[in-house]
């Protein structure tokens, strides 16, 4: 399964969310794609990304200023907490 993570460079919230996401995905059969929202503006806009960090998978999105590891785990495992 593909997981897309949209981040902004030099964003401490994005670095923390990426670290949490990688920890959650470890041992799972998911392919992580990390996209810089400034380098991939058109793709981010087309995917409906309005804030970094944002995680997109299976047509669902999770975004917010501070994404906790628990929020990310619930989202990846199919729980609520999406945008």
């Amino acid at each position: 399964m593909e997981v897309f993570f949209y981040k902004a460079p030099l964003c401490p919230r994005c670095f923390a969310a990426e670290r949490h996401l990688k920890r959650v995905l470890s041992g799972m059969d998911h392919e992580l794609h990390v996209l810089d929202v400034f380098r991939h503006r058109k793709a981010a806009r087309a995917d409906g990304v309005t804030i970094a960090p944002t995680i997109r998978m299976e047509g669902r999105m999770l975004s917010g200023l501070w994404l906790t590891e628990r929020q990310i785990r619930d989202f990846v495992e199919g729980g609520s907490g999406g945008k």
Side-chain angles (χ1 to χ4, degrees), residues 3-79:
V3 178
F4 296 86
F5 179 71
Y6 300 86
K7 68 177 189 173
L10 305 177
C11 169
R13 299 179 329 267
C14 297
F15 285 117
E18 184 176 8
R19 187 173 51 248
H20 296 323
L21 180 59
K22 287 180 177 179
R23 194 170 18 244
V24 167
L25 293 178
S26 68
M28 294 183 173
D29 188 26
H30 292 2
E31 184 178 348
L32 178 61
H33 303 276
V34 179
L35 299 162
D36 179 321
V37 293
F38 294 114
R39 288 186 176 166
H40 300 94
R41 287 177 198 244
K42 288 183 182 179
R45 191 175 306 123
D47 290 340
V49 174
T50 58
I51 188 172
T54 295
I55 303 168
R56 181 176 63 83
M57 65 181 283
E58 296 184 316
R60 300 178 301 125
M61 292 174 59
L62 174 68
S63 61
L65 290 179
W66 291 103
L67 297 179
T68 66
E69 187 168 341
R70 182 180 183 102
Q71 287 174 306
I72 293 170
R73 183 173 308 282
D74 288 347
F75 177 75
V76 168
E77 292 174 352

